[in-house]
Amino acid sequence: MLDWLFSDPLPAGSAAPDFTLPKQDGKTVSLSKLRGKNVMLVFYPGDDTPVCRKQLCEFRDQWEQARQRNVLVFGVNPASAGSHVKFQEKYRFAFPLLVDAGQKVAELYHASGLFVKRTVYLIGPDGVIRYAKRGKPDPAEVLAAAQ
């Protein structure tokens, strides 16, 4: 009954569920089309809230290390494209923010709930989850899982 509150993230070693979501600019991203690259998904509760801002800015500040490790970073939450555009422009994120209306992808990744559960995944080039953790892990810890 309270599974949505106490669920664990999908485990490392499992196949990442495929999805297609719009970016803040309206163009879509499909996980299946990103094979061959490491993909980081940062599920976060809200645009421009203190902890979310800090977390995404930490990933922004590690952008060069992410690029060196062939990692594409995506912020994911149910806010509107307009909200994402303002948030992205204000903090100059080099990565897109995906609009997960209705938390459908968050549900696939066990990050849905009353609010999106702060969860970070790193998916390898083969589509297998290499890293999964709730909360606000250090970007270097996440990037260390990249092949």
Side-chain angles (χ1 to χ4, degrees):
M1 187 160 169
L2 293 176
D3 289 349
W4 66 269
L5 183 60
F6 298 109
S7 68
D8 290 325
L10 296 172
S14 61
D18 193 23
F19 65 85
T20 299
L21 284 176
K23 298 188 291 185
Q24 75 283 346
D25 63 6
K27 296 178 184 171
T28 60
V29 171
S30 296
L31 182 62
S32 60
K33 292 183 180 173
L34 301 175
R35 286 287 166 92
K37 298 196 178 289
N38 292 292
V39 176
M40 185 185 305
L41 300 177
V42 182
F43 290 92
Y44 65 101
D47 287 346
D48 213 0
T49 57
V51 177
C52 297
R53 178 181 64 245
K54 183 174 182 234
Q55 181 177 33
L56 292 177
C57 284
E58 287 174 356
F59 285 110
R60 175 201 65 198
D61 295 346
Q62 296 295 316
W63 182 246
E64 191 54 40
Q65 288 81 352
R67 286 186 58 228
Q68 290 171 4
R69 292 179 174 265
N70 193 32
V71 175
L72 300 175
V73 178
F74 298 94
V76 186
N77 94 356
S80 70
S83 176
H84 282 351
V85 166
K86 288 178 193 169
F87 187 36
Q88 186 186 43
E89 289 177 353
K90 184 174 181 180
Y91 295 100
R92 297 187 203 116
F93 299 132
F95 49 86
L97 303 178
L98 305 180
V99 178
D100 184 17
Q103 296 187 42
K104 289 177 177 49
V105 174
E107 187 174 336
L108 291 174
Y109 282 83
H110 296 190
S112 64
L114 186 57
F115 298 100
V116 172
K117 290 183 245 180
R118 188 179 310 284
T119 310
V120 178
Y121 287 95
L122 185 103
I123 301 162
D126 57 357
V128 173
I129 296 170
R130 304 272 181 237
Y131 180 95
K133 190 170 187 178
R134 293 267 192 258
K136 197 175 107 11
D138 185 287
E141 179 184 321
V142 183
L143 290 170
Q147 295 180 325

